[in-house]
Amino acid sequence: QVLLVESGGGLVQAGGSLRLSCRVSGRAFRDYAMGWFRQAPGKEREFVVTINLSGRITYYADSVKGRFAISRDNAKNTVYLQMNSLKPEDTAVYYCAAGTYGTKERNYDYWGQGTQVTVSS
C-alpha cells in the first residue's frame, strides 16, 4: 500500500508564499511520477502541476505557471510545491498524487488526504 501525507498548508495573505510537502511511503518513491491537484469550494478538482520520475520534466497549469514550482527529493521520498505570489483564487484544498506523468486524475493511482491553503485578500 502506498501512503501519501501532505503538510504545509495554512493561511497566508495575498502575495505571500507557502511550501507544501508530500511524503510517500510504502513503495519506491522513484517509481512514480507525482502531481498536485487542488479543489476550491464548489468547484471540481483541477490539475496544478506534474513532475516525472527523475524530476527533470515538469508541466504546469497556466494559472500557476511562473508562480509555483514543483520539485522532488527521491532520497527523502518527498515532493514539494513552492507557491509564491499567492492570490485569493489559489484558495483550495491541495492534493498530491502518485502515478504516471500526466495532467488527468486518471493518471494517478494514489492520493493524499489534502491540505488546506487559504489566501486572504
Side-chain angles (χ1 to χ4, degrees):
Q1 186 176 352
V2 179
L3 182 64
L4 286 70
V5 179
E6 300 104 333
S7 60
L11 173 64
V12 64
Q13 289 188 333
S17 298
L18 281 175
R19 189 176 82 153
L20 306 183
S21 301
C22 174
R23 192 173 189 283
V24 180
S25 60
R27 245 188 92 168
F29 176 68
R30 64 177 64 84
D31 288 344
Y32 297 104
M34 299 297 297
W36 286 96
F37 289 74
R38 66 186 182 186
Q39 187 168 20
K43 295 187 177 181
E44 293 187 353
R45 189 156 58 183
E46 65 175 4
F47 167 77
V48 177
V49 60
T50 182
I51 188 167
N52 77 330
L53 276 67
S54 69
R56 294 191 182 96
I57 301 174
T58 59
Y59 185 82
Y60 293 85
D62 287 343
S63 58
V64 305
K65 199 174 296 182
R67 300 188 298 121
F68 290 13
I70 191 172
S71 60
R72 63 188 295 162
D73 186 336
N74 285 351
K76 295 183 178 180
N77 290 0
T78 301
V79 62
Y80 303 97
L81 182 63
Q82 178 66 44
M83 304 186 295
N84 300 324
S85 302
L86 282 161
K87 305 175 181 179
E89 51 263 44
D90 294 317
T91 295
V93 177
Y94 283 71
Y95 298 90
C96 70
T100 56
Y101 184 80
T103 64
K104 306 297 183 184
E105 292 189 33
R106 63 176 179 266
N107 292 122
Y108 299 90
D109 300 312
Y110 304 100
W111 294 79
Q113 82 287 351
T115 186
Q116 177 70 47
V117 171
T118 303
V119 184
S120 63
S121 57

